[in-house]
Amino acid sequence: MTSTPPSGDDAPPAPPSDPSADAPSGHELWRPWTAWTALVSGFGLTVVGGLVVAIIAAAFGASVSNPSPGVNIGLTFFQNCALIAAALFFAHLAGRPRPKDFGLRAPGADLDDSRARRTALKRAIGLLLAVWFGFYAVSALWVAVLNLDEHQTLPDELGVHGSTLNLILVVGLITIIAPLGEELFFRGYFFGALRNWHGWVPAAIVTGIVFGAIHIGSAPLGFTVPLGVFGLGLCYLYQRTGSLYPGIALHALNNSVALGLTQHWSWQIAPTMVVAVSASLFIASRLARALESRALAGAPPLAQPAG
């Protein structure tokens, strides 16, 4: 005894198409001009914070023209917090941001197969190393061509030799807080918003230029071009992996090595690299969880099936 397939008339009707399925969402809604507004807002907030600190310092008889290392550490920390706050604020104007909007997800997180995710992670590590070595090659060539002999002075300005506490604070600031704050703002938001302008290549070039320019004063002037190349490479790394975590890790690794070399460290560099990468990625993952919880809290309830 055989059965015949149901006729077309008996087939269940196709579900209605969702007109919002192809609608832009998340970072696709970030307006390119908000990248610049967020940048100005972040540094403007830093200036306001600096003025407040200067007024308080002057009231207690401290030098305003030559601030103490503690004040410099506090202002640098506040600057990174201000940049993060600006990124979150302007992202929120387009709707509650999700971690993936900032790239706060593991490489290959959207893949169902565990083997494919491992392959994506290995590929991200390979790209990280390629960008890092490429940056070193460009820097070495730049230094050789221009015969540069400039040295990093920021750690000394922050009082790295003042005390053990100062040393710990400076190491944490340069190798953990700065990579996290700068990556979340410049790659996570600034580059993310500019991509909606004319694609990722012009956005990466502009982001690299701005990234190099904002280090004028904190890094030797001659190294702003290599730093711009580094910023461009970090954009490329984010674009190719779809994750901000490799860029945060690379930034932490590079800052650890740079700080160690300026302080003439030897064995101390390796553990600093391990701690910096682990701590910065851990803080980034906590921020991702907080963003996800906040987004879910504001999401509309799921529709219940009829019947």
Side-chain angles (χ1 to χ4, degrees), residues 17-58:
S17 60
D18 182 3
S20 64
D22 297 328
S25 61
H27 61 84
E28 296 174 344
L29 295 174
W30 295 349
R31 300 293 181 87
W33 61 266
T34 63
W36 301 103
T37 310
L39 180 67
V40 173
S41 299
F43 282 102
L45 186 59
T46 303
V47 171
V48 172
L51 290 175
V52 172
V53 171
I55 293 173
I56 296 175

Side-chain angles (χ1 to χ4, degrees), residues 256-257 259-273:
S256 298
V257 173
L259 176 63
L261 293 178
T262 60
Q263 301 305 307
H264 307 290
W265 290 351
S266 55
W267 62 268
Q268 298 94 332
I269 296 179
T272 301
M273 293 167 66

Side-chain angles (χ1 to χ4, degrees), residues 61-90:
S63 173
V64 177
S65 59
N66 187 26
S68 66
V71 171
N72 286 330
I73 291 174
L75 287 177
T76 306
F77 177 80
F78 182 79
Q79 174 181 297
N80 283 276
C81 292
L83 288 174
I84 293 175
L88 294 175
F89 174 79
F90 283 95

